[in-house]
Amino acid sequence: MASSPCGNSNFDSGLEIKTRSVEQTLVPLVSQITTLINHKVKPKKSERTQAAIHRVGQAVSVAVGRFVTVGEAIATENQELKDEMGQACFEARRAGDAIAQLTDVGSALPSQSDGLVTVFSDRTGMVKAARLLLSSVTKVLVLADRIVIKQIITSRNKVLVTLDHLERVSTFQEFVQIFSQFGNEMVEFAHLTGDRQNDLKDEKKKARMAAARAVLEKCTMMLLTASKTCLRHPDCESARINKDAVFHRMRCALEQVIEIVTEARSCGENKILPVSIYNGIKDFKVGVECLRENLNSLSPQSVGSQLEALVERTEDFTDSAYTSHEQRQAILGLCQLARQDTQQLVQSWAEAQSVHAKEATEDMEVAILKTCQSVSDLRRELHKVAVIRASDLLKVHGEQLPLRALKAAGAEGNLEAVAEYSRTLTEQKEQLVENCRLLCHVSGTEPLEITCIHAEETFHVIGPQIISAAQTLALHPSSKIAKENLEVFCEAWDSQLCDMALLLREINDVFEGRRGDKRSYLSLPRPGKHSANLKTAKAVKLDAEEQTSMAKLGLELRLLSSDVDTEVEKWEEQEHDIVRQSQSLASMAYNMYLFTRGEGLLKTTLDLFHQAEVLSEEGLQLCSSLLTFSTQLVDEEKSVVMTEMEKMVALCQQLQMGAKTPVQGKTATFQKVDSSIQTTRGILTVVLSLLPSCNKLTRKYKSERSSLGSPQDWRERQDASTPVKEEGALNNKNTNGFGAKSLEQHMAGLNLLESK
């Protein structure tokens, strides 16, 4: 579907805009041109008006000149698009010059009668120039976007070739050499696809890209240990099965990424998402409510069949062996109630039509309300069943009993015990797979549905892989690499459980009407960006233990930041300093979590350390706010707050000193990253413990706050023994937020975690 820039149908370029970077580049240009086009059509302008028109015209011309210079530089780096890009840049420059000339006051002559300047009388010429400018600029942007797509495809092709070589190696020496090359190529691919994912406008495609990249991230570590195990035990069938499954999954994920960026209509793209109960109920309610305005918008048969289709989909819940008798009866009862209310609606509807009513009668209105309410109650019950079961499963699986038993049995070489615990794990896997299916029904958005499907597929695949890894260890109980391999697959299972916990929170957020805004990162190429020189960047690779540690720490940060966000939402005073600063800390911690996944705004370890400094400064600011807050508390209450605040001061100072301490070498850099994230986790833990108690105390003293006045008044009433010097030091900290630096500035220090 072709669409015009920024939705302005007057300037349809005939090119669809699929990324935020292209759209946001066009927004100011469209705004300026619209100002020129929509001015009052008067040939004679006052001095003020014609000066304003002149300024806008010159601004457009200068902006286009700069833009074209960048476009020409990109064309020089990409010879295959040089002619096409050059032509688009030429047209854009010509259109910009035409607009500058049409709005040039110096070329206009004053009227002999009244002395006013006649400027910009050629409206047709202005419209023509504006159309040409928007068309050519959009074409330049879309061509630049094609370069990004080509870079992703080229990077994928390199990864595939190396993947084929890795699969066929027969010696450790050859494997180590090729895997080193593979790691560097995956760094490049992860960087390009991460930028692309954040730049996509379509949330559904963004979710599919995130799922594919998550597979690649986790499988890279699995590929390493599975391949080493196969090389160490070449005649072991279970080791070969384990390795083949990893390679197959990586190829599928690579193919999915290319389908998304090229919009290929392959089997993956054509796969239609199953209609969820949430969407089915939403569509059903929309149709029923339309009857208020138009009695003929639907037929009674279609309403009945829609409801029956909904009821049929609830069988995923009622037919499940894991649904309790009480839950099953509640769902069946609500389905029956929905049928009765719908039947009553159909009867009222028929009566209204028999008297030739033009709109819904009073009886019909009541029936519509009851029908919508009954299906909403059904949706609420299904949501409750799916979420409660997911929470229960996460609690049970959090103990990791089957995994620990499998590892112990494998290390003892006990094949019978491995077989027994494999059956237990398989049953747990089936429960998780089924629950992901139920969560998909109530997820509420297409991106979350895609994430549920990804979780279902991940559990379905990793379960058998853990079993094959355990069988290999049982056959070779003294093999260190077989033991390490099983550990990696168990860690992947644990990681997916953490992801499922996050997914559960997001589904609840949608159900309760809470949706967080995510910051975007744009992926349009700049001269020198993503070009051939990328392969010369030095990336630091982590070993298995380091990667596992970093992934777990990152997930803990994500959970803590989510918990902090949940707690601050409970505060009545959303503008309170404690609330604002806690939200800021949670946001920065979330950025650090994204860093551990090779995503987000923090692209290098330097970015991470700078973020850690800023976070420590914001933490000290929060300590200052807590100090001020404590002045209104009695001794026992004040003691609790001050104790936690002192912990936070120590942690913030530790984080600040650690972030500023220079290090060299891979091991020292990893230790610094690890320390920064662990200390940040400690800070968030303290914040999380303080927020509920401070909220409770704030409500308790709310009646007294009017007499105490503003926080500034509290500060002035502090006891003489208050450590003013410390407070002053805290307040003097710089709290500027993290500013993302361009890729060119950091190309020499690629994020060491992107080697995952």
Side-chain angles (χ1 to χ4, degrees):
M1 178 186 74
S3 64
S4 58
C6 310
N8 189 332
S9 59
N10 291 328
F11 302 107
D12 191 349
S13 67
L15 296 166
E16 183 180 2
I17 298 172
K18 303 179 182 70
T19 58
R20 299 182 191 280
S21 49
V22 173
E23 184 177 70
Q24 292 182 17
T25 303
L26 287 172
V27 166
L29 182 60
V30 171
S31 176
Q32 289 173 323
I33 290 177
T34 302
T35 300
L36 292 175
I37 296 297
N38 291 342
H39 75 92
K40 294 181 180 179
V41 187
K42 294 180 180 178
K44 296 177 181 178
K45 310 290 180 188
S46 67
E47 184 176 341
R48 182 178 177 182
T49 302
Q50 52 95 4
I53 291 173
H54 174 73
R55 284 197 303 272
V56 174
Q58 294 303 309
V60 169
S61 179
V62 171
V64 170
R66 291 172 180 166
F67 175 83
V68 166
T69 301
V70 175
E72 290 170 342
I74 293 173
T76 302
E77 294 179 355
N78 298 271
Q79 292 296 317
E80 71 281 4
L81 291 177
K82 185 175 182 180
D83 293 342
E84 203 172 351
M85 180 75 88
Q87 181 62 30
C89 288
F90 171 76
E91 291 175 356
R93 194 186 297 276
R94 187 179 65 174
D97 292 343
I99 288 174
Q101 186 175 358
L102 286 166
T103 57
D104 186 6
V105 178
S107 63
L109 297 175
S111 169
Q112 293 182 353
S113 58
D114 54 17
L116 292 178
V117 173
T118 301
V119 64
F120 190 8
S121 57
D122 186 5
R123 182 179 177 81
T124 303
M126 176 59 71
V127 171
K128 184 177 179 181
R131 285 183 182 278
L132 177 61
L133 178 60
L134 284 176
S135 176
S136 55
V137 166
T138 305
K139 188 171 183 180
V140 170
L141 291 169
V142 173
L143 286 171
D145 196 57
R146 274 169 50 186
I147 293 169
V148 174
I149 293 171
K150 181 193 170 189
Q151 288 164 346
I152 293 173
I153 294 171
T154 302
S155 179
R156 186 284 307 255
N157 291 342
K158 288 195 294 185
V159 169
L160 272 180
V161 169
T162 310
L163 200 61
D164 289 341
H165 291 163
L166 271 177
E167 195 170 19
R168 294 195 299 267
V169 297
S170 56
T171 66
F172 271 104
Q173 183 178 0
E174 186 183 7
F175 175 79
V176 169
Q177 182 180 357
I178 297 177
F179 192 83
S180 176
Q181 176 187 343
F182 175 76
N184 287 332
E185 290 169 355
M186 283 300 292
V187 168
E188 178 183 352
F189 189 72
H191 186 86
L192 291 169
T193 54
D195 285 351
R196 187 67 179 181
Q197 176 187 322
N198 289 321
D199 198 16
L200 287 169
K201 287 172 60 181
D202 189 318
E203 292 297 326
K204 186 175 167 183
K205 290 179 182 176
K206 187 178 288 189
R208 290 185 65 220
M209 179 76 89
R213 294 182 73 247
V215 170
L216 292 171
E217 177 186 345
K218 292 174 182 176
C219 281
T220 299
M221 198 62 238
M222 297 178 195
L223 183 144
L224 174 62
T225 57
S227 296
K228 286 164 65 178
T229 304
C230 221
L231 286 169
R232 181 63 56 84
H233 309 289
D235 298 326
C236 182
E237 180 66 12
S238 57
R240 185 191 60 77
I241 291 171
N242 185 261
K243 170 190 161 186
D244 289 349
V246 177
F247 275 89
H248 175 72
R249 198 157 184 240
M250 285 202 78
R251 288 191 176 97
C252 289
L254 287 165
E255 192 59 34
Q256 181 172 323
V257 169
I258 299 306
E259 286 175 17
I260 296 164
V261 299
T262 62
E263 299 191 312
R265 301 294 174 180
S266 69
C267 56
E269 183 71 20
N270 286 331
K271 188 188 296 181
I272 300 173
L273 287 176
V275 178
S276 68
I277 293 175
Y278 175 91
N279 287 328
I281 288 175
K282 184 172 69 173
D283 294 341
F284 177 78
K285 287 173 66 176
V286 168
V288 167
E289 288 171 344
C290 282
L291 294 173
R292 288 191 175 102
E293 305 297 330
N294 183 0
L295 298 183
N296 297 314
S297 60
L298 291 172
S299 68
Q301 292 80 7
S302 66
V303 172
S305 61
Q306 263 190 294
L307 180 65
E308 287 307 314
L310 276 176
V311 171
E312 184 179 345
R313 285 195 283 276
T314 63
E315 291 174 2
D316 285 346
F317 290 78
T318 56
D319 290 353
S320 169
Y322 307 110
T323 300
S324 69
H325 176 71
E326 293 77 11
Q327 291 172 335
R328 186 176 292 108
Q329 290 303 112
I331 293 169
L332 292 173
L334 287 168
C335 287
Q336 187 58 31
L337 180 61
R339 282 193 179 107
Q340 292 171 1
D341 289 339
T342 302
Q343 186 58 40
Q344 184 60 48
L345 170 61
V346 170
Q347 290 176 4
S348 303
W349 188 1
E351 290 172 5
Q353 288 180 320
S354 67
V355 296
H356 305 291
K358 293 183 178 180
E359 56 185 28
T361 61
E362 186 174 338
D363 288 347
M364 192 174 169
E365 179 66 33
V366 171
I368 288 172
L369 291 172
K370 289 179 68 177
T371 301
C372 290
Q373 184 60 49
S374 61
V375 293
S376 294
D377 290 343
L378 174 61
R379 178 207 163 197
R380 189 173 294 107
E381 180 65 24
L382 295 173
H383 175 87
K384 184 173 74 172
V385 170
V387 167
I388 288 175
R389 187 189 299 178
S391 300
D392 291 343
L393 284 173
L394 288 170
K395 287 177 186 175
V396 171
H397 297 316
E399 299 172 4
Q400 297 185 342
L401 296 180
L403 298 184
R404 282 192 292 216
L406 271 174
K407 285 188 274 190
E412 293 169 0
N414 190 337
L415 282 168
E416 289 184 4
V418 166
E420 179 185 346
Y421 293 123
S422 294
R423 287 190 289 272
T424 304
L425 181 66
T426 299
E427 184 179 350
Q428 289 193 350
K429 177 206 74 177
E430 293 301 329
Q431 290 180 22
L432 288 164
V433 165
E434 183 183 274
N435 191 239
C436 289
R437 217 169 287 145
L438 301 188
L439 287 173
C440 185
H441 272 304
V442 300
S443 57
T445 69
E446 278 194 330
L448 287 180
E449 286 179 28
I450 290 168
T451 308
C452 289
I453 292 170
H454 165 67
E456 177 187 338
E457 292 172 347
T458 301
F459 284 123
H460 185 75
V461 171
I462 292 183
Q465 288 179 312
I466 291 174
I467 292 170
S468 61
Q471 290 169 343
T472 303
L473 179 59
L475 291 169
H476 307 279
S478 61
S479 172
K480 291 183 179 180
I481 182 57
K483 184 178 180 181
E484 180 190 1
N485 187 48
L486 176 57
E487 191 68 43
V488 165
F489 281 95
C490 290
E491 289 288 350
W493 177 276
D494 187 42
S495 173
Q496 188 56 48
L497 286 174
C498 291
D499 287 348
M500 187 173 175
L502 298 178
L503 172 62
L504 193 59
R505 291 181 186 216
E506 291 180 355
I507 289 173
N508 271 325
D509 284 347
V510 171
F511 185 77
E512 295 169 10
R514 299 194 307 263
R515 294 299 304 275
D517 293 330
K518 296 181 180 179
R519 301 172 69 179
S520 60
Y521 181 81
L522 310 181
S523 70
L524 272 181
R526 294 183 290 274
K529 181 180 179 184
H530 299 331
S531 57
N533 61 4
L534 183 62
K535 63 187 177 186
T536 63
K538 301 296 182 183
V540 183
K541 293 194 289 291
L542 305 179
D543 59 31
E545 185 179 352
E546 291 169 338
Q547 286 188 325
T548 299
S549 171
M550 198 58 58
K552 291 179 70 174
L553 279 174
L555 285 169
E556 289 174 19
L557 269 190
R558 171 66 179 89
L559 290 168
L560 281 169
S561 64
S562 178
D563 287 339
V564 170
D565 287 336
T566 300
E567 282 300 326
V568 298
E569 284 176 2
K570 297 176 184 177
W571 283 59
E572 293 177 0
E573 298 180 45
Q574 286 295 305
E575 294 304 314
H576 198 290
D577 284 346
I578 293 175
V579 170
R580 288 189 301 98
Q581 288 154 353
S582 298
Q583 285 175 324
S584 179
L585 288 173
S587 176
M588 286 186 271
Y590 183 76
N591 281 342
M592 295 172 81
Y593 153 72
L594 291 177
F595 172 86
T596 66
R597 296 176 60 89
E599 300 173 3
L601 295 172
L602 308 181
K603 296 298 177 184
T604 70
T605 51
L606 293 177
D607 289 340
L608 179 76
F609 300 146
H610 178 64
Q611 180 77 104
E613 278 190 64
V614 176
L615 188 144
S616 67
E617 291 164 0
E618 187 71 9
L620 291 171
Q621 284 290 326
L622 175 57
C623 291
S624 176
S625 298
L626 289 167
L627 190 64
T628 300
F629 174 75
S630 67
T631 59
Q632 64 175 319
L633 308 178
V634 297
D635 290 344
E636 185 177 345
E637 296 167 342
K638 184 174 182 178
S639 174
V640 172
V641 173
M642 293 297 290
T643 300
E644 293 300 308
M645 188 204 75
E646 287 168 4
K647 290 182 189 176
M648 195 187 304
V649 169
L651 286 167
C652 289
Q653 290 173 345
Q654 177 185 335
L655 181 62
Q656 198 168 59
M657 286 189 293
K660 290 180 177 179
T661 303
V663 294
Q664 290 183 343
K666 173 206 163 185
T667 302
T669 302
F670 169 75
Q671 289 173 348
K672 183 175 176 179
V673 170
D674 182 73
S675 174
S676 297
I677 293 177
Q678 290 216 45
T679 308
T680 300
R681 180 186 62 179
I683 291 171
L684 254 65
T685 302
V686 174
V687 172
L688 194 57
S689 69
L690 276 167
L691 281 170
S693 55
C694 288
N695 187 19
K696 184 178 178 181
L697 291 169
T698 302
R699 291 179 178 180
K700 177 181 176 181
Y701 287 95
K702 188 173 183 181
S703 59
E704 302 175 17
R705 187 171 300 172
S706 57
S707 62
L708 288 172
S710 67
Q712 180 63 33
D713 297 328
W714 302 345
R715 193 174 290 115
E716 291 170 358
R717 291 187 176 90
Q718 288 185 63
D719 190 87
S721 62
T722 301
V724 178
K725 182 177 180 181
E726 181 183 1
E727 183 190 352
L730 295 173
N731 279 330
N732 287 334
K733 296 293 179 184
N734 177 13
T735 58
N736 290 334
F738 171 73
K741 300 177 182 178
S742 67
L743 176 63
E744 292 94 327
Q745 291 173 289
H746 294 311
M747 188 59 74
L750 274 177
N751 179 351
L752 66 88
L753 294 173
E754 285 182 314
S755 63
K756 292 191 288 184

